[in-house]
C-alpha cells in the first residue's frame, strides 16, 4: 500500500505542469520559426545568386513575417533560467529590440533587391548575418 502511494506520488510529480513547462529547447514555437527563417534565408541566397532579385525580395517579405511572429515569443533561455518579473521584462525588451533592428535591416535589403542595387544587397545581407550573431549570442540557450 505504501509502495503504491509512493509510486502514485512519483507519477503525479513527474506529470505535473511544472515539469511539462520545462520543455526541451528544440520544441519551442520560436525554434520552429527559426527553422523556417533558416530555410527561407537559404532559398533567398540562391535567388540572389541566380540573379532573380524579384523572387529574393518576396522571400525577404516572408522572412519579415517570421520575425514579426518571433517577436511575440519568449526565448527558451529566459524560461530555463527561470527569469521573472522585472528581469524577464528587461530581457524580453532587449530581445524585441534586436528583432526590430533585424526587421529594419530586412526592409533595407528588400529595397536594395527591388532597385537592383548589388552593393547594397551585399551590405544588408552582411548585416542580417550580424543580427544572427547578436541574437544567438545574447538569447539562444546553450543546448
Ligand atoms: C537570419 C538570421 C537567423 C537565422 C538563419 C537563424 C536560425 C536559427 C536556427 C536554425 C535556430 C535553431 C537552433 C540552431 O540550430 O542553432 C535558431 C534558434 C534561435 N534563434 Fe535564430 N536565426 C537568425 C536570427 C536570429 C535573431 C535576430 C534572433 C534574436 C533576435 C534569434 C534568436 C534565436 C533564439 C532565441 C533561438 C533559440 C530558440 C528558442 O529560444 O526557443 N535568431 N535560429
Amino acid at each position: 500500500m505504501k509502495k503504491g502511494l509512493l509510486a502514485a506520488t512519483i507519477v503525479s510529480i513527474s506529470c505535473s505542469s511544472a515539469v511539462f513547462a520545462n520543455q526541451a529547447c528544440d520544441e519551442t514555437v520560436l525554434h520552429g520559426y527559426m527553422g523556417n527563417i533558416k530555410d527561407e534565408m537559404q532559398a533567398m541566397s540562391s535567388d540572389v545568386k541566380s540573379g532573380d532579385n524579384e523572387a529574393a525580395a518576396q522571400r525577404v517579405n516572408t522572412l519579415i513575417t517570421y520575425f514579426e511572429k518571433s517577436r511575440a515569443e519568449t526565448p527558451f533561455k529566459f524560461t530555463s533560467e527561470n527569469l521573472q518579473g522585472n528581469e524577464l521584462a528587461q530581457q524580453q525588451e532587449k530581445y524585441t529590440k534586436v528583432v526590430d533592428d533585424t526587421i529594419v535591416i530586412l526592409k533595407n535589403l528588400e529595397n536594395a533587391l527591388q532597385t537592383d542595387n548589388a552593393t547594397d544587397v551585399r551590405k544588408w545581407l552582411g548585416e542580417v548575418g550580424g543580427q544572427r550573431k547578436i541574437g544567438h549570442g545574447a538569447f539562444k540557450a546553450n543546448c
Side-chain angles (χ1 to χ4, degrees):
M1 186 65 184
K2 259 193 186 163
K3 261 191 192 162
L5 193 62
L6 182 65
T9 309
I10 289 169
V11 168
S12 119
I13 288 173
S14 55
C15 292
S16 75
S17 58
V19 173
F20 268 78
N22 190 11
Q23 66 197 129
C25 68
D26 58 355
E27 284 172 5
T28 63
V29 175
L30 181 58
H31 190 276
Y33 292 147
M34 285 290 155
N36 296 333
I37 286 168
K38 182 181 159 209
D39 292 346
E40 208 59 33
M41 279 290 294
Q42 282 170 349
M44 190 259 292
S45 282
S46 307
D47 287 339
V48 172
K49 275 183 200 142
S50 61
D52 194 346
N53 281 1
E54 212 180 305
Q58 267 304 316
R59 303 261 188 214
V60 174
N61 230 315
T62 307
L63 279 165
I64 290 171
T65 63
Y66 283 129
F67 274 107
E68 279 167 353
K69 287 180 180 172
S70 301
R71 193 182 190 280
E73 296 298 324
T74 299
F76 179 77
K77 189 172 193 264
F78 301 171
T79 318
S80 69
E81 288 175 358
N82 199 23
L83 297 190
Q84 289 182 5
N86 250 351
E87 214 187 345
L88 175 61
Q90 275 170 14
Q91 287 303 314
Q92 191 71 29
E93 200 181 316
K94 283 186 187 166
Y95 164 74
T96 49
K97 168 85 171 66
V98 178
V99 174
D100 287 343
D101 291 348
T102 308
I103 291 172
V104 169
I105 288 166
L106 286 168
K107 284 184 178 161
N108 288 332
L109 174 60
E110 190 180 9
N111 187 53
L113 286 163
Q114 282 163 346
T115 54
D116 286 322
N117 186 333
T119 310
D120 276 5
V121 167
R122 249 198 313 277
K123 172 180 147 189
W124 295 119
L125 272 177
E127 298 243 348
V128 174
Q131 289 303 110
R132 180 178 186 270
K133 275 206 188 111
I134 294 170
H136 289 186
F139 311 115
K140 193 157 82 70
N142 231 348
C143 58

